[in-house]
Amino acid sequence: MLQMSLSFRRTFADMFRHMREMRGYFLWAAIVFFVGIAYGAVSDTFREFLEGQINALAKTAGRLSELENGRLLMFVFIFANNTIKSILVMFLGLLGGVIPLFFLLVNGMVIGYWLANVEGTGMSAAEIVVKGLLPHGVLEIPAIVVASAYGMGLGVQLVRSAIPKIRIPGQLERTLATTLPLMPFLTLVLLAAAVIEVTVTPWLLRL
């Protein structure tokens, strides 16, 4: 039992150590995400697409809320949706790192467009951010950024591994190995975010 506990701690210590090595990818992932927010807030180019994304989520939330145990179903939907997408985007990054970039950009644009069009809610964009986004977003957004950053890293490292002159021996293998403890870690973070989103966030929005 003690040996298992030590192994568990060592695995996660290695994961956090590797995450420090990935800070460059985290920075780029965060930049892409916030560029998406800014672009979604000021541009009408993808208005129809973004409205479609927001309306689809709103319709799903409305249907679930009408069912028995609607809050529980909403929790399951949010948790499963975020977790599955985060893990998928991490490994789909092996296709050159393009899909994580697209994922971050679109999610940022949806948030930016939503914040720029809050008329009729009775709240300002600042209130929406503080009450409707930050409570769960402080966990959810970093988890999505980390997953996407690892996807970008896997894509870049896979390409580099095929070019002897720029290949860093063992880099891709170490990153892939780190995804094993990273998956349950992100799952727990997104679980906590989903709990907050269906409990604390609605309560704050009613204040």
Side-chain angles (χ1 to χ4, degrees), residues 118-124 127:
V118 295
E119 311 90 32
T121 63
M123 288 185 284
S124 66
E127 286 180 295

Side-chain angles (χ1 to χ4, degrees), residues 41-58:
V42 301
S43 175
D44 285 335
T45 306
F46 298 100
R47 179 174 182 173
E48 187 175 339
F49 169 73
L50 296 174
E51 285 184 348
Q53 295 291 305
I54 293 169
N55 290 337
L57 289 172

Side-chain angles (χ1 to χ4, degrees), residues 11-55:
T11 297
F12 277 88
D14 289 342
M15 181 191 75
F16 287 117
R17 192 177 303 113
H18 188 267
M19 288 174 73
R20 288 196 292 272
E21 297 174 17
M22 293 285 287
R23 58 186 178 273
Y25 291 104
F26 295 154
L27 177 60
W28 278 111
I31 288 171
V32 171
F33 181 73
F34 285 108
V35 165
I37 292 176
Y39 188 77
V42 301
S43 175
D44 285 335
T45 306
F46 298 100
R47 179 174 182 173
E48 187 175 339
F49 169 73
L50 296 174
E51 285 184 348
Q53 295 291 305
I54 293 169
N55 290 337

Side-chain angles (χ1 to χ4, degrees), residues 40-106:
V42 301
S43 175
D44 285 335
T45 306
F46 298 100
R47 179 174 182 173
E48 187 175 339
F49 169 73
L50 296 174
E51 285 184 348
Q53 295 291 305
I54 293 169
N55 290 337
L57 289 172
K59 286 179 182 178
T60 300
R63 284 196 295 266
L64 291 176
S65 65
E66 292 171 0
L67 299 174
E68 187 178 357
N69 298 319
R71 182 170 292 186
L72 176 61
L73 293 172
M74 180 64 70
F75 160 75
V76 172
F77 170 74
I78 292 170
F79 171 61
N81 182 61
N82 288 338
T83 304
I84 291 170
K85 284 183 177 178
S86 295
I87 292 174
L88 273 177
V89 83
M90 184 161 57
F91 290 106
L92 288 175
L94 286 164
L95 302 175
V98 176
I99 293 177
L101 285 171
F102 179 76
F103 179 73
L104 285 168
L105 195 61
V106 169

